[in-house]
Amino acid sequence: MKINHMKIDPGMTTLQLIEQMGKSGVLGAGRMYRATELLAEVISDEETTVFLSIAGPMVPGGLRKIIRDLIADGHVDVVITSGANLTHDLLETFGGSHYREHDETDEELCQMGMGRIGDVYTKAQDFEVFEKKISTLLEEIAQKNNQLNIREFITEIGNSIQDPESIICTAAEKNVPIYAPGIIDSMLGLQLWMFTQENQLTLDAPGDMHELSDIVYSSKKVATVILGGGLPKHYALASNILTGGVDAAIQVTLDRSEAGSLGGAPLEEAKSWAKAKCGSKLVTVIGDATIIFPLMVAGAREKLDK
Amino acid sequence: MKINHMKIDPGMTTLQLIEQMGKSGVLGAGRMYRATELLAEVISDEETTVFLSIAGPMVPGGLRKIIRDLIADGHVDVVITSGANLTHDLLETFGGSHYREHDETDEELCQMGMGRIGDVYTKAQDFEVFEKKISTLLEEIAQKNNQLNIREFITEIGNSIQDPESIICTAAEKNVPIYAPGIIDSMLGLQLWMFTQENQLTLDAPGDMHELSDIVYSSKKVATVILGGGLPKHYALASNILTGGVDAAIQVTLDRSEAGSLGGAPLEEAKSWAKAKCGSKLVTVIGDATIIFPLMVAGAREKLDK
Amino acid sequence: MKINHMKIDPGMTTLQLIEQMGKSGVLGAGRMYRATELLAEVISDEETTVFLSIAGPMVPGGLRKIIRDLIADGHVDVVITSGANLTHDLLETFGGSHYREHDETDEELCQMGMGRIGDVYTKAQDFEVFEKKISTLLEEIAQKNNQLNIREFITEIGNSIQDPESIICTAAEKNVPIYAPGIIDSMLGLQLWMFTQENQLTLDAPGDMHELSDIVYSSKKVATVILGGGLPKHYALASNILTGGVDAAIQVTLDRSEAGSLGGAPLEEAKSWAKAKCGSKLVTVIGDATIIFPLMVAGAREKLDK
Amino acid sequence: MKINHMKIDPGMTTLQLIEQMGKSGVLGAGRMYRATELLAEVISDEETTVFLSIAGPMVPGGLRKIIRDLIADGHVDVVITSGANLTHDLLETFGGSHYREHDETDEELCQMGMGRIGDVYTKAQDFEVFEKKISTLLEEIAQKNNQLNIREFITEIGNSIQDPESIICTAAEKNVPIYAPGIIDSMLGLQLWMFTQENQLTLDAPGDMHELSDIVYSSKKVATVILGGGLPKHYALASNILTGGVDAAIQVTLDRSEAGSLGGAPLEEAKSWAKAKCGSKLVTVIGDATIIFPLMVAGAREKLDK
């Protein structure tokens, strides 16, 4: 099949641009097109349960609203993420922000009370507010029920806050479960630990697996969209091993495969483990998720709207 | 400064999407926005001479028309590229194509007479036609003038073909010089060598430097857009050393910097060599140029149209 | 300071080679030398508690014995790893192996009952044995104590097996704690979950934090060696936030920093978060840990022997 | 085949370490072992002509002596490199050096007259000496013969200097040809251009191809060792297309393949182009050449000594 060259028309929509990438169909452009097509397909298919795995600093990196909107509009059915993204979501709910355009050294930032994630900055004051608010929340939650699985715990937080912009709050409202198997490894986890030193609150990690397996078993098809690697990637794929693997998967990553890390592993590898079905649709886009994911979502949502 | 979260509106134009990335302003999204802004700025500034350095398989990868249109519309003033991209441009002019969607092994492809560049494929028959046509062209050119610098040689080719879709042809028409200091290392170079075994045709490599230095000296400002690394990147930056360096540069690459290769080197490094001026505007976007460059061009051209 | 060129003498020891890299002192070679020096320094310093964070397939990738020996010889005081590396350690303890040199597709591997990690392969039969043996172990452990933190749980496993080659077993013998905050996301975690569906066994995730903070508070200095990113990297750094950060850190990774992922983040960034002290010694080597870590350990151990 | 775990014995030689990597045989460690074995094999095989392609800052990065020794000891038969590496070789011959351990910004370095390549630094004074000395050399060479191909020009330089540590000088002595198809794009090329503005000296780029094709045709087998990408990689592979491709190739790179750049392209791809023979032995090691190449050479030379 012949390659057609992409054509730029000023003012073209994002979908029109992505369709030009599809006309070419090779290298990154081809993968970008196929990923967008697949995303639109799995979202619009009523029989497909859509998982979204979010590793990396997606909330600090400006994707909070895009993720929140996907949940609010019913395009995502299950979220798997890190404790860090939950922490940063709450940080904004509690009045904090993420900042940019600093040029201090890391040692200077430390003295100023600022934490750095690439070129994103946080303020210690915002974390202090976070700590106060979250400890009040933890008390409220523990009074109601001091034995929860991690998903229930996150839902409880979502039910306790009023912030339409929050991923956690929106997910709670829309009954979209959020799983965070590594929640303890985060500022939220640290607060949780400090709380449990003087209070009774038990989080049952294996408990989530019951729910997750129910979701997988009751889904006709499962698709998973994976931003970054780590636990959120593995947990999404591994939870589908029970039914022979996902039916479709999209991953966006800058990690590479040669050293064998899961983050950089090709999705094809998941087939050998029955974490992706034989014949499943798998697309990887190599790139920075803060560029690739907004482009993909814009294209897919435009396609859905048609 | 606070980070705003990106918002996707289905049907948004590419510039609208990129402006959302600018509202966030961090990580890849921030760089994508700043690169697009800078591209629009240098194109629209009458005093800035715009260089475009093209390494990597940009013609096979579907960018031929985007590059040709930038030249045709006067947005690019100087092109620096590899012999390979020139070869692939002519391959299509002479009736050949680039192909996709093969799943043979490299050994099978070899037996089928197909060459592979990632997931782009070429056919031996197309190269055979290329060889016949280019040797006729070489004869015509050598008859007129058998002592040329490389740029003149490429312009002569451009003048000898009628293909409005060709980068070489369009550049010749628009008086946009194309430099290819490593031209000999390509299929075109191989044909050139074979031709010179029985014919007289001398290409003067240093000869280009006279012209290029004239361009640099007569430019009020120079901006360079760099796709990939290698000779095209270095040549563009090094030729500006004569006037203290470029005023602006944009690079798109997946190479990394730690091993010291030029391809992955941060543009900042060029300042130490006086290849980029102190205070020059420099933006690097990490990503696949077949995704990033179309997006950037679409955004910049939309902005120019306003 | 002038760079000296490296000199190869056939038969030179690994330390002699690394010292040549130090004579050059730049690019990867310089980082390799400084990392080896730092590793030898923190191991030999009685006042420094050495953490080892292991993400990625280090046990499948042939590093099991190197890690086990570091623990056995008292060179590592705390291990933080993934559930996967624990699973693969036990897989071998229970008679299984890791395999190489297969050329089947992932779909064929799936049908053959083989899982793939890069070019490492596993057999379903080995996992079946693992499942049987681990469920017996879980019963024994639960009978003794059905409320454990994750570290205690891993130590219990270590105490229950007799395998001098096992990381888990050796760590238990040497009183080296192993933390695995994401343990649930692994085959071991899956078995744990299945076991808890019919049996009583609670793993207290926050529980580990008490211990870990005691270790950090009682250490004069802490150094952490980080292979790969993910939870094991973050957990090691974050647990030192309580005392203002680690005093030294070495990381080996192929991840890159631009998209903001923790795996690729420069260690310097940890200073802004007080996860590494101002003035702490930090070295990153970009490379494949299965090459870089054995080379570094060989060099450091040779230095220690002198 | 089962994987054996690597074992570190303090004081082990580099070959012993690499043989441990071979016992494991997977991921980077396996590739490191296979590359070392292949290097020893092609060097020791009298029928194999060994090409060495050197891109990236290998001379500034401390590899000058390792390369020079390989040439001096008859282990390398053809060198293909960039004008930059030749420039930096001569810079040291003329009394200059490469420097390390500066922490100035690039703008400050520029004002100090220092150029930066990663963490390698150069001094303007050294380049001034280089300029004076090279222009004298150019005069001498042009007086003898003002029409040379590039290889002859480099050999003439080698014959004109007395520096046993120089790659160019040693290669000239040992009759090892050095090809640099992109020579013009370097400080040496810039001097050449300035010289030709007032003097007669023509470098015939296609001229090298005659010689190179003679070498390829007269070799029973060809192996190529490739450090980095760019022209040196392509030229080595492409010159072997005439005889159906190389018989063996080793590449060391940190570039990746997805965007289609030659630097990151898998060696297998060369088979489709008949630049590597079907059945040829091909090994890629992902890593920083300043670490990987010294380790590989140390291992291979130790093996040869046995």
Side-chain angles (χ1 to χ4, degrees):
Chain A
M1 188 178 169
K2 288 190 188 180
I3 288 171
N4 292 301
H5 290 285
M6 295 177 249
K7 183 172 184 307
I8 302 299
D9 290 309
M12 68 202 305
T13 65
T14 52
L15 182 59
Q16 286 169 340
L17 174 66
I18 291 169
E19 283 170 346
Q20 288 296 317
M21 295 185 184
K23 274 180 54 184
S24 161
V26 292
L27 302 176
R31 289 186 282 266
M32 187 71 224
Y33 170 76
R34 291 191 295 277
T36 306
E37 286 284 299
L38 184 53
L39 180 59
E41 181 187 325
V42 298
I43 288 179
S44 62
D45 179 17
E46 287 305 311
E47 296 194 337
T48 298
T49 302
V50 179
F51 283 46
L52 177 61
S53 289
I54 313 163
M58 295 302 132
V59 170
L63 294 175
R64 190 190 193 214
K65 185 165 186 54
I66 293 174
I67 295 164
R68 177 257 170 233
D69 286 354
L70 286 171
I71 296 167
D73 297 341
H75 296 332
V76 163
D77 304 303
V78 173
V79 172
I80 303 178
T81 191
S82 60
N85 274 312
L86 300 178
T87 300
H88 288 276
D89 184 58
L90 291 172
L91 197 79
E92 297 207 7
T93 292
F94 295 152
S97 278
H98 295 89
Y99 307 88
R100 65 192 216 200
E101 285 162 37
H102 282 269
D103 55 7
E104 293 86 0
T105 67
D106 287 298
E107 301 206 349
E108 289 165 351
L109 286 169
C110 184
Q111 272 138 23
M112 295 163 63
M114 300 197 80
R116 184 170 73 86
I117 306 166
D119 59 357
V120 183
Y121 302 85
T122 61
K123 284 191 186 162
Q125 298 109 287
D126 292 347
F127 277 107
E128 283 160 23
V129 175
F130 166 82
E131 284 166 29
K132 254 182 240 163
K133 299 255 186 173
I134 197 71
S135 61
T136 313
L137 261 186
L138 290 176
E139 271 170 47
E140 288 171 26
I141 290 170
Q143 271 169 2
K144 279 194 274 179
N145 186 351
N146 64 16
Q147 193 108 15
L148 303 141
N149 64 32
I150 296 174
R151 197 277 308 153
E152 290 166 341
F153 170 68
I154 299 168
T155 301
E156 279 302 319
I157 294 177
N159 286 332
S160 309
I161 57 178
Q162 274 84 42
D163 178 4
E165 292 306 308
S166 157
I167 292 171
I168 299 175
C169 180
T170 305
E173 254 172 49
K174 304 291 289 188
N175 289 317
V176 169
I178 300 182
Y179 298 97
I183 193 171
I184 204 64
D185 178 43
S186 68
M187 292 289 186
L188 179 53
L190 191 68
Q191 293 304 312
L192 197 57
W193 165 64
M194 288 166 115
F195 181 78
T196 58
Q197 288 192 298
E198 311 213 337
N199 300 274
Q200 188 61 32
L201 177 57
T202 308
L203 284 201
D204 178 28
D208 284 352
M209 295 287 282
H210 299 272
E211 279 190 32
L212 204 42
S213 71
D214 285 350
I215 292 171
V216 168
Y217 276 119
S218 65
S219 299
K220 287 208 179 156
K221 285 185 273 180
V222 172
T224 181
V225 180
I226 302 167
L227 308 182
L231 243 70
K233 174 177 178 180
H234 189 260
Y235 205 60
L237 292 172
S239 60
N240 281 279
I241 211 170
L242 304 159
T243 52
V246 296
D247 299 272
I250 296 164
Q251 82 175 338
V252 181
T253 185
L254 271 177
D255 293 350
R256 56 189 302 163
S257 65
E258 289 83 358
S261 81
L262 180 76
L267 288 170
E268 284 291 318
E269 204 175 275
K271 287 183 177 175
S272 72
W273 296 95
K275 294 173 185 169
K277 288 205 179 76
C278 290
S280 55
K281 298 173 182 175
L282 307 174
V283 186
T284 295
V285 184
I286 300 301
D288 185 315
T290 65
I291 302 172
I292 301 301
F293 193 59
L295 180 57
M296 191 188 301
V297 170
R301 297 200 67 153
E302 185 177 344
K303 202 174 162 84
L304 292 175
D305 264 22
K306 282 187 177 169
Chain B
M1 189 179 169
K2 287 189 189 180
I3 288 170
N4 292 302
H5 291 284
M6 296 176 248
K7 184 172 183 307
I8 302 300
D9 290 310
M12 68 202 306
T13 66
T14 53
L15 182 59
Q16 287 169 339
L17 175 66
I18 291 168
E19 284 171 346
Q20 288 297 315
M21 294 184 185
K23 275 180 53 186
S24 161
V26 293
L27 302 175
R31 289 187 284 264
M32 186 72 224
Y33 169 77
R34 292 190 295 276
T36 306
E37 287 283 299
L38 184 53
L39 180 60
E41 181 188 324
V42 298
I43 288 178
S44 62
D45 179 17
E46 286 306 311
E47 298 194 336
T48 298
T49 302
V50 179
F51 283 46
L52 177 60
S53 289
I54 312 164
M58 294 302 132
V59 171
L63 294 175
R64 190 190 193 214
K65 185 165 186 54
I66 293 174
I67 295 165
R68 176 255 171 236
D69 286 354
L70 285 171
I71 296 167
D73 296 341
H75 295 332
V76 163
D77 304 302
V78 173
V79 172
I80 303 178
T81 190
S82 59
N85 274 312
L86 300 178
T87 300
H88 288 277
D89 185 56
L90 290 172
L91 197 79
E92 296 207 8
T93 293
F94 295 153
S97 279
H98 295 88
Y99 306 89
R100 65 191 214 203
E101 285 162 36
H102 284 269
D103 55 6
E104 293 86 0
T105 67
D106 286 298
E107 301 206 349
E108 289 164 352
L109 287 169
C110 185
Q111 272 137 24
M112 294 162 65
M114 301 197 79
R116 183 170 74 86
I117 307 165
D119 59 354
V120 183
Y121 301 85
T122 61
K123 283 192 187 164
Q125 296 111 289
D126 292 346
F127 277 106
E128 283 160 25
V129 175
F130 166 82
E131 285 166 26
K132 254 181 241 165
K133 301 254 184 172
I134 196 71
S135 60
T136 314
L137 262 187
L138 290 177
E139 273 170 46
E140 288 171 25
I141 291 170
Q143 272 169 2
K144 278 192 277 182
N145 186 350
N146 64 16
Q147 193 108 13
L148 304 140
N149 64 31
I150 297 174
R151 198 278 308 154
E152 290 167 340
F153 171 68
I154 299 169
T155 301
E156 279 302 321
I157 295 177
N159 286 333
S160 307
I161 57 178
Q162 274 83 40
D163 178 5
E165 292 306 309
S166 158
I167 292 171
I168 298 175
C169 180
T170 304
E173 254 172 49
K174 304 290 290 186
N175 289 318
V176 169
I178 299 182
Y179 298 97
I183 192 171
I184 203 65
D185 178 43
S186 66
M187 291 290 187
L188 179 54
L190 190 70
Q191 292 304 311
L192 197 57
W193 165 63
M194 288 166 115
F195 180 78
T196 59
Q197 288 192 300
E198 312 214 337
N199 301 272
Q200 187 62 31
L201 177 58
T202 307
L203 284 201
D204 178 28
D208 285 350
M209 294 287 282
H210 299 275
E211 279 191 30
L212 205 41
S213 72
D214 285 350
I215 293 171
V216 168
Y217 276 118
S218 65
S219 299
K220 289 211 178 152
K221 285 184 274 180
V222 173
T224 182
V225 180
I226 302 167
L227 308 182
L231 242 70
K233 174 178 179 179
H234 190 259
Y235 205 60
L237 292 171
S239 60
N240 281 279
I241 210 170
L242 304 159
T243 52
V246 296
D247 299 273
I250 297 165
Q251 82 175 339
V252 181
T253 185
L254 270 177
D255 292 351
R256 56 189 303 163
S257 65
E258 289 84 356
S261 80
L262 181 76
L267 289 170
E268 284 291 317
E269 204 175 275
K271 288 183 176 175
S272 72
W273 295 96
K275 294 173 186 169
K277 288 205 180 74
C278 291
S280 55
K281 296 173 182 175
L282 307 173
V283 187
T284 295
V285 184
I286 300 300
D288 185 315
T290 65
I291 302 173
I292 301 300
F293 193 59
L295 180 57
M296 191 188 302
V297 170
R301 297 200 66 152
E302 185 178 345
K303 202 174 162 84
L304 292 175
D305 264 22
K306 284 187 176 171
Chain C
M1 187 179 170
K2 288 191 188 179
I3 288 171
N4 292 301
H5 291 285
M6 296 176 250
K7 183 172 184 306
I8 302 299
D9 291 309
M12 68 203 306
T13 66
T14 52
L15 182 59
Q16 287 169 339
L17 173 66
I18 291 168
E19 283 170 346
Q20 288 297 317
M21 294 185 185
K23 274 179 54 184
S24 161
V26 292
L27 302 176
R31 289 187 282 265
M32 187 71 224
Y33 169 76
R34 292 192 294 277
T36 306
E37 287 283 299
L38 184 53
L39 181 59
E41 180 187 326
V42 298
I43 287 179
S44 62
D45 179 15
E46 286 305 311
E47 296 194 339
T48 298
T49 302
V50 179
F51 283 46
L52 176 61
S53 289
I54 313 164
M58 294 302 132
V59 170
L63 293 175
R64 190 191 194 213
K65 184 164 187 53
I66 293 174
I67 296 164
R68 177 255 171 234
D69 286 354
L70 286 171
I71 296 168
D73 296 341
H75 296 332
V76 163
D77 304 303
V78 173
V79 172
I80 303 179
T81 192
S82 59
N85 274 312
L86 300 178
T87 300
H88 289 276
D89 184 57
L90 290 172
L91 197 79
E92 297 207 8
T93 292
F94 296 153
S97 278
H98 295 88
Y99 307 89
R100 66 191 215 201
E101 286 161 37
H102 283 268
D103 55 7
E104 293 87 359
T105 67
D106 286 299
E107 301 207 350
E108 289 164 352
L109 286 169
C110 184
Q111 272 138 24
M112 293 163 65
M114 300 196 80
R116 183 169 75 86
I117 307 165
D119 59 356
V120 182
Y121 301 85
T122 61
K123 284 191 186 163
Q125 298 110 286
D126 291 347
F127 277 106
E128 283 160 25
V129 174
F130 167 81
E131 283 166 29
K132 252 181 242 164
K133 299 254 185 174
I134 197 71
S135 61
T136 313
L137 262 186
L138 291 177
E139 270 171 49
E140 288 170 26
I141 291 170
Q143 271 169 1
K144 280 194 273 179
N145 186 350
N146 64 15
Q147 193 108 13
L148 304 140
N149 65 31
I150 297 174
R151 198 279 307 154
E152 290 167 340
F153 170 68
I154 299 168
T155 301
E156 279 302 318
I157 294 177
N159 287 332
S160 308
I161 56 179
Q162 273 85 39
D163 178 6
E165 292 306 307
S166 158
I167 292 171
I168 299 175
C169 180
T170 305
E173 254 173 48
K174 304 290 290 188
N175 289 317
V176 168
I178 299 182
Y179 297 97
I183 193 171
I184 204 64
D185 178 43
S186 67
M187 291 290 187
L188 179 53
L190 191 70
Q191 292 305 312
L192 196 57
W193 166 63
M194 288 166 115
F195 180 78
T196 59
Q197 288 191 298
E198 312 213 337
N199 301 273
Q200 188 62 31
L201 177 59
T202 308
L203 284 201
D204 178 28
D208 285 352
M209 295 287 282
H210 298 273
E211 278 190 32
L212 204 42
S213 71
D214 285 350
I215 292 170
V216 168
Y217 275 119
S218 65
S219 299
K220 288 209 178 155
K221 286 185 271 179
V222 173
T224 181
V225 181
I226 302 167
L227 308 182
L231 243 70
K233 175 177 179 180
H234 190 260
Y235 205 60
L237 292 172
S239 60
N240 281 279
I241 211 171
L242 304 158
T243 53
V246 296
D247 299 271
I250 297 164
Q251 81 175 339
V252 181
T253 184
L254 271 176
D255 292 351
R256 56 189 301 163
S257 66
E258 289 83 358
S261 80
L262 180 77
L267 288 170
E268 284 291 318
E269 205 176 275
K271 287 183 177 175
S272 73
W273 295 96
K275 294 173 185 168
K277 288 205 180 74
C278 290
S280 54
K281 298 174 182 175
L282 307 174
V283 187
T284 294
V285 183
I286 300 301
D288 185 316
T290 64
I291 301 173
I292 302 301
F293 193 59
L295 180 57
M296 190 188 302
V297 170
R301 297 199 67 152
E302 184 177 346
K303 203 175 162 83
L304 292 175
D305 264 24
K306 283 188 176 170
Chain D
M1 188 178 169
K2 288 189 189 180
I3 289 170
N4 293 301
H5 290 285
M6 296 177 248
K7 184 172 182 307
I8 302 299
D9 291 310
M12 67 202 306
T13 66
T14 53
L15 182 59
Q16 286 169 340
L17 174 66
I18 290 169
E19 283 170 347
Q20 288 297 317
M21 294 184 185
K23 274 179 54 185
S24 161
V26 292
L27 301 175
R31 290 187 282 265
M32 187 70 225
Y33 169 76
R34 291 190 295 276
T36 306
E37 287 283 300
L38 184 53
L39 181 59
E41 180 188 324
V42 298
I43 288 179
S44 62
D45 179 17
E46 286 306 310
E47 298 194 336
T48 298
T49 302
V50 179
F51 283 46
L52 177 61
S53 289
I54 311 164
M58 294 302 133
V59 171
L63 294 176
R64 189 189 193 215
K65 184 165 186 54
I66 293 175
I67 295 164
R68 176 256 170 234
D69 286 354
L70 285 171
I71 295 168
D73 296 341
H75 296 332
V76 163
D77 304 303
V78 174
V79 172
I80 303 178
T81 191
S82 60
N85 274 313
L86 300 177
T87 300
H88 288 276
D89 185 57
L90 290 172
L91 197 79
E92 296 207 8
T93 292
F94 295 152
S97 279
H98 294 89
Y99 307 89
R100 66 191 213 202
E101 285 162 36
H102 282 269
D103 55 7
E104 292 86 1
T105 67
D106 286 298
E107 302 206 348
E108 289 164 352
L109 287 169
C110 184
Q111 272 138 24
M112 295 163 64
M114 300 198 80
R116 183 170 74 86
I117 307 165
D119 59 355
V120 183
Y121 302 85
T122 61
K123 284 192 186 163
Q125 298 111 287
D126 292 345
F127 277 107
E128 283 160 24
V129 175
F130 166 83
E131 284 166 28
K132 254 182 240 164
K133 300 254 184 171
I134 196 72
S135 60
T136 314
L137 261 187
L138 290 177
E139 272 170 47
E140 288 170 26
I141 291 171
Q143 272 168 2
K144 278 192 277 180
N145 186 350
N146 65 15
Q147 193 109 13
L148 303 140
N149 64 30
I150 297 173
R151 198 277 309 154
E152 290 167 340
F153 171 68
I154 299 168
T155 301
E156 279 302 321
I157 295 177
N159 286 332
S160 308
I161 56 179
Q162 275 84 41
D163 179 4
E165 292 307 308
S166 157
I167 292 171
I168 299 175
C169 180
T170 306
E173 254 173 49
K174 304 290 291 186
N175 289 318
V176 169
I178 299 183
Y179 298 96
I183 192 171
I184 203 64
D185 177 43
S186 66
M187 290 291 185
L188 178 53
L190 190 69
Q191 292 306 311
L192 197 57
W193 166 63
M194 288 167 114
F195 180 78
T196 59
Q197 289 192 298
E198 312 213 336
N199 300 274
Q200 188 62 32
L201 177 59
T202 308
L203 284 202
D204 178 28
D208 285 351
M209 293 288 281
H210 298 275
E211 279 191 31
L212 204 42
S213 72
D214 285 349
I215 293 171
V216 168
Y217 276 118
S218 64
S219 298
K220 288 209 178 153
K221 285 184 273 181
V222 173
T224 182
V225 180
I226 302 166
L227 308 183
L231 242 71
K233 174 178 179 179
H234 189 259
Y235 206 58
L237 292 172
S239 60
N240 281 279
I241 211 170
L242 304 159
T243 51
V246 296
D247 300 272
I250 296 164
Q251 84 175 338
V252 181
T253 185
L254 270 177
D255 292 351
R256 55 188 304 163
S257 65
E258 288 84 357
S261 80
L262 181 76
L267 289 170
E268 284 290 319
E269 204 175 274
K271 288 183 176 176
S272 72
W273 295 96
K275 293 173 187 169
K277 289 204 180 75
C278 290
S280 54
K281 296 173 184 176
L282 307 173
V283 186
T284 295
V285 184
I286 301 300
D288 185 315
T290 64
I291 302 172
I292 301 300
F293 193 59
L295 180 56
M296 191 188 302
V297 170
R301 297 200 68 153
E302 185 178 344
K303 202 175 162 82
L304 292 175
D305 264 22
K306 282 188 176 172

